[in-house]
Amino acid sequence: MDQTELLQQTCHVGGRWLAADDGSTRDVIDPATGEKVGSVPHFRTQETKRAIDAAAKAFPGWRDTPAARRGELMQKLADLMMEHREPLAILLTREMGKPLAESRGEIAGGVGYLRWFAEEGKRIYGDTIPSPWPERRLLVMKQPVGVVGAITPWNFPSSMIARKLGAALAAGCTMVVKPAPQTPFSALAIAVLAEKAGLPPGVLNVITGEAAEIGAAMIDHPQLRKITFTGSTAVGKQLASAATANMKRVSMELGGNAPFIVFDDADLDAAVEGAMIAKFRNTGQTCVCANRILVQDSVYDIFAQKLAAAVKELRVGNGFEEGVTQGPLVNSAALKKVEAHVADVRAHGGTVLLGGKPHSRGGLFYEPTVLTGVAADALIMREETFGPVAPLVRFHDEKEAIQLANATEYGLASYFYAHNLARVFRVMEQLEYGLVGVNTGMVTTEVAPFGGVKASGMGREGSKYGVEDYLDIKYCCLDLGH
Ligand code: NAP
């Protein structure tokens, strides 16, 4: 199958490919060129209910399929995704703009989650509990929560879905996925391949349309038992409060404001390398993005120079161009936010060491930027920038670094570079984050738990913990009589 066959412009419900009831659609635009990639149906409440009904109908069969068989089908989907890695990556770059090499990496990353969970499904163990009563036996079994609604963002259009889907399918859940409107085609392409892999109809449904109505329909439907959401904290809070009011399980992977701390005993070249990954991957549009770079006094100037030299080497352009490392921002609102953050740093006395303005290519491109002398009360210190801007903040000692790092409502990723072993442990333990990278700017893998604390959410994806979010615990007490 090539890229045009994978570009599916209808929704996948109960094994069928459907338009909206009223035929309405929304266009998807390539952010690098402004050209239309295609269009997708604009589903509303009724179509969403039918998709949940389809997932509910498929649930008993999928739940009762042995884990080993479920695993085989998941591995088959993973194989097909790897076989079609190139067209999937091309589709991803077209709809969201990231460099093609990053898109290829994202497809492989998502496949990693599917393969991990395909195996993990076989290890969903229960317990037997030593009984306080001689005549009774106490058992704990784990069962799938049921139909799951997944709502995902545009910044990782494929892997955000694969890591939810992997855990859900392994647990025996069926799913209705609503991808972001900017990037629906990567999600629909997964459904195309899932169908080809032999996943039974209704096990995976992918719908596009009116977010608020789809979210509300998921929350209202009695057979949808869990919402898993990745996106902004603002939307996550709304969904979580509505879902818990209806006693649905929730997993929330929300925004971040990652500190990246460089201590005076760090290997500065390694720290620059790590900062380049943590800050500029996906043009700074990752939830684990280094948003605040905190550097100790004595190494501040040299680190700033080294970082600026590395940032200067980045190449901005269309993700399909050879050698491009920085694509466009996703839309004009994202570009405006980046511009506002840089203007605010300047207004607070900060300096632009490199970049600091929209790129001369025009459109949605912004120059990779390094800012120095950033004030602790600048907007960029509190909010996710979600763009290619590295703000450098000076700190004096370890205590101040920890205080600055934790002075945010968020708690997803954090990073620090240091060598003193006692310091490494002290800092690791004191950072109020779900993820800590020590002497590395990249921590994500399917074998480790991913997720945040504080306003960055609840629940974990990946690893043995990831599957637990899709399971209910049932305690069974057997009285054997006398
Ligand atoms: P967003 O605006 O919260 O949107 C995320 C998804 O939610 C989209 O599909 C969106 O659809 C949908 N949505 C919005 N309002 C809704 C509602 N009332 N009911 C149901 N669905 C609704 O986030 P974004 O700007 O696309 O993504 C960037 C954010 O995601 C950042 O904050 C980033 O940190 C976070 N993120 C977190 C992780 C993580 O694992 N923690 C990973 C990646 C990204 P519409 O656009 O159609 O409204």
Side-chain angles (χ1 to χ4, degrees):
M1 274 176 140
D2 67 11
Q3 173 223 343
T4 42
E5 289 166 286
L6 282 171
L7 187 119
Q8 179 53 247
Q9 305 193 59
T10 50
C11 292
H12 194 51
V13 175
R16 296 195 301 149
W17 293 95
L18 302 174
D21 286 355
D22 64 0
S24 64
T25 59
R26 294 292 182 274
D27 291 347
V28 177
I29 304 298
D30 178 340
T33 61
E35 284 164 16
K36 179 174 159 181
V37 182
S39 61
V40 289
H42 198 64
F43 272 21
R44 312 201 67 139
T45 306
Q46 286 313 316
E47 295 99 318
T48 306
K49 281 185 182 165
R50 291 201 288 272
I52 300 167
D53 290 342
K57 192 169 164 214
F59 174 62
W62 186 247
R63 175 195 62 201
D64 297 340
T65 302
R69 175 65 187 147
R70 290 201 299 260
E72 276 170 21
L73 291 170
M74 292 166 71
Q75 293 283 12
K76 178 82 180 132
L77 170 59
D79 290 344
L80 285 171
M81 286 179 71
M82 285 314 277
E83 239 172 71
H84 296 83
R85 184 179 180 184
E86 199 58 19
L88 288 172
I90 290 171
L91 202 55
L92 204 165
T93 292
R94 279 187 76 199
E95 64 180 354
M96 85 73 66
K98 70 174 63 174
L100 192 55
E102 287 192 26
S103 295
R104 291 185 187 117
E106 180 175 338
I107 303 301
V111 164
Y113 280 91
L114 285 172
R115 294 204 194 284
W116 163 269
F117 283 116
E119 291 301 313
E120 196 60 12
K122 300 172 196 166
R123 292 187 281 268
I124 297 174
Y125 303 129
D127 305 299
T128 55
I129 298 176
S131 174
W133 303 287
E135 72 285 7
R136 292 182 177 188
R137 300 294 178 269
L138 315 186
L139 311 179
V140 173
M141 57 178 74
K142 295 193 179 163
Q143 295 185 313
V145 296
V147 178
V148 175
I151 300 176
T152 54
W154 49 265
N155 62 343
F156 288 93
S158 185
S159 63
M160 291 297 106
I161 291 170
R163 71 189 192 185
K164 294 182 188 305
L165 184 64
L169 294 184
C173 298
T174 56
M175 206 171 220
V176 178
V177 179
K178 187 210 99 63
Q182 297 88 345
T183 57
F185 292 124
S186 293
L188 289 162
I190 292 177
V192 170
L193 296 177
E195 187 176 43
K196 204 170 147 75
L199 221 63
V203 170
L204 168 62
N205 307 275
V206 179
I207 62 173
T208 53
E210 190 62 40
E213 287 191 30
I214 292 173
M218 286 181 174
I219 285 161
D220 287 344
H221 199 297
Q223 280 175 290
L224 189 134
R225 297 306 319 147
K226 175 191 166 82
I227 303 249
T228 172
F229 172 78
T230 299
S232 63
T233 294
V235 174
K237 280 182 177 172
Q238 277 176 33
L239 283 172
S241 67
T244 47
N246 273 3
M247 287 304 152
K248 314 259 188 218
R249 292 270 294 270
V250 291
S251 294
M252 294 282 147
E253 297 285 351
L254 309 178
N257 182 2
F260 185 102
I261 313 171
V262 183
F263 286 102
D264 57 7
D265 59 332
D267 174 337
L268 290 190
D269 292 322
V272 167
E273 205 179 301
M276 293 302 291
I277 296 167
K279 176 69 254 183
F280 291 98
R281 188 166 64 104
N282 208 13
T283 317
Q285 303 172 111
T286 74
C287 54
V288 290
C289 192
N291 205 53
R292 301 166 291 148
I293 303 186
L294 315 175
V295 190
Q296 196 153 10
D297 268 340
S298 58
V299 294
Y300 186 93
D301 293 331
I302 175 83
F303 179 81
Q305 292 308 325
K306 281 176 181 276
L307 182 67
V311 173
K312 223 173 177 169
E313 298 300 313
L314 292 172
R315 247 192 76 198
V316 177
N318 187 317
F320 288 114
E321 288 166 23
E322 198 57 37
V324 160
T325 53
Q326 298 285 286
L329 292 166
V330 72
N331 56 28
S332 56
L335 183 69
K336 282 204 185 88
K337 188 173 190 192
V338 169
E339 288 183 286
H341 276 196
V342 173
D344 178 78
V345 165
R346 279 186 153 137
H348 282 79
T351 305
V352 174
L353 187 59
L354 190 75
K357 55 183 189 304
H359 196 272
S360 55
R361 289 180 74 113
L364 298 171
F365 295 95
Y366 195 85
E367 290 184 352
T369 295
V370 180
L371 306 172
T372 54
V374 177
D377 59 345
L379 201 54
I380 211 163
M381 296 291 281
R382 297 193 302 276
E383 286 182 9
E384 276 183 298
T385 306
F386 244 57
V389 180
L392 269 52
V393 179
R394 204 180 272 274
F395 72 85
H396 182 60
D397 57 18
E398 195 179 301
K399 191 166 168 241
E400 188 188 4
I402 297 287
Q403 183 267 323
L404 282 169
N406 288 340
T408 168
E409 62 169 327
Y410 296 104
L412 185 58
S414 57
Y415 310 87
F416 71 94
Y417 277 69
H419 271 116
N420 179 295
L421 191 61
R423 166 180 276 171
V424 164
F425 269 85
R426 276 196 307 272
V427 177
M428 215 161 55
E429 286 165 8
Q430 288 180 76
L431 285 171
E432 296 166 357
Y433 289 85
L435 316 167
V436 185
V438 186
N439 295 325
T440 174
M442 175 88 165
V443 299
T444 312
T445 159
E446 67 276 11
V447 306
F450 184 98
V453 298
K454 296 162 74 180
S456 292
M458 56 187 90
R460 291 294 179 270
E461 293 190 328
S463 84
K464 65 175 181 173
Y465 301 103
V467 80
E468 296 291 335
D469 274 16
Y470 293 82
L471 294 168
D472 282 330
I473 286 175
K474 182 182 278 181
Y475 157 52
C476 303
C477 177
L478 283 78
D479 193 318
L480 305 177
H482 294 287

